[in-house]
Amino acid sequence: MNNYIIIRSDNKSISPPMSKHEAVKKLREYDKEGISSYLIYRNDYLEFDYVNRLNVYEEYH
C-alpha cells in the first residue's frame, strides 16, 4: 500500500505516496546526504496538495 509520504526539511517538499519499504529506503538516502526528513503515515485526516506540493493541511471530518 502507498500510505507513507516524506517531507524534507531543507526544501519543504512532499513526496508522492509510497510503500513503507520505499519510504525507509529514501529516508536512509536522505540521512546519508545529511538531509533532515520526516516520515508521515497518510490517513483520512490528512489532505495533501501533490500538484503544488506547497501546502499540507489537516482536514476535519
Side-chain angles (χ1 to χ4, degrees):
M1 295 202 81
N2 295 330
N3 287 328
Y4 294 86
I5 61 164
I6 297 174
I7 300 176
R8 291 175 51 155
S9 63
D10 61 341
N11 62 6
K12 309 294 190 257
S13 66
I14 301 171
S15 73
M18 61 185 82
S19 70
K20 184 176 181 180
H21 176 73
E22 292 172 312
V24 170
K25 184 178 175 183
K26 186 62 80 174
L27 283 175
R28 288 182 180 151
E29 289 175 19
Y30 290 155
D31 188 46
K32 285 180 184 177
E33 295 174 15
I35 300 170
S36 296
S37 54
Y38 302 92
L39 180 64
I40 297 177
Y41 180 77
R42 193 173 138 218
N43 61 34
D44 293 337
Y45 299 106
L46 292 175
E47 187 70 32
F48 297 97
D49 182 356
Y50 293 110
V51 175
N52 295 325
R53 294 183 186 214
L54 295 176
N55 58 344
V56 177
Y57 57 92
E58 192 167 343
E59 181 180 86
Y60 296 98
H61 294 271

